[in-house]
Amino acid sequence: MEILRVENLTKVYGKDNAKVVALDNVSFSVEKGEFVAIVGASGSGKSTLLHLIGGVDRPTSRKSFY
């Protein structure tokens, strides 16, 4: 049973020359009972992803998110 699905999640900060793509079409799902770790280098979008999943921030675009 799927408890979280993220499809084509994108977050862009700024505009034009100051544009930073924090997440670019990220997709994944988490099944009930599954353990998940979010790892990556500094600046790779880990906190941005968690803020979007938690509803603290709004995505620039997404296909589905539940």
Side-chain angles (χ1 to χ4, degrees), residues 5 10 22 40 46 50 52 56 58 64-65:
R5 177 187 296 185
T10 300
K46 300 177 301 290
L50 292 173
L52 293 170
V56 175
R58 296 180 63 123
S64 65
F65 184 68

Side-chain angles (χ1 to χ4, degrees), residues 32-60:
K32 183 177 180 179
E34 191 173 32
F35 288 91
V36 177
I38 300 171
V39 297
S42 177
S44 64
K46 300 177 301 290
S47 294
T48 299
L49 175 62
L50 292 173
H51 288 149
L52 293 170
I53 291 171
V56 175
D57 200 359
R58 296 180 63 123
T60 303

Side-chain angles (χ1 to χ4, degrees), residues 6-62:
V6 175
E7 290 184 353
N8 300 354
L9 185 62
T10 300
K11 180 63 180 180
V12 178
Y13 294 101
K15 299 180 193 177
D16 302 324
N17 293 339
K19 181 172 133 176
V20 175
V21 180
L23 297 174
D24 190 14
N25 290 317
V26 173
S27 298
F28 67 94
S29 64
V30 179
E31 298 288 328
K32 183 177 180 179
E34 191 173 32
F35 288 91
V36 177
I38 300 171
V39 297
S42 177
S44 64
K46 300 177 301 290
S47 294
T48 299
L49 175 62
L50 292 173
H51 288 149
L52 293 170
I53 291 171
V56 175
D57 200 359
R58 296 180 63 123
T60 303
S61 68
R62 68 177 188 241

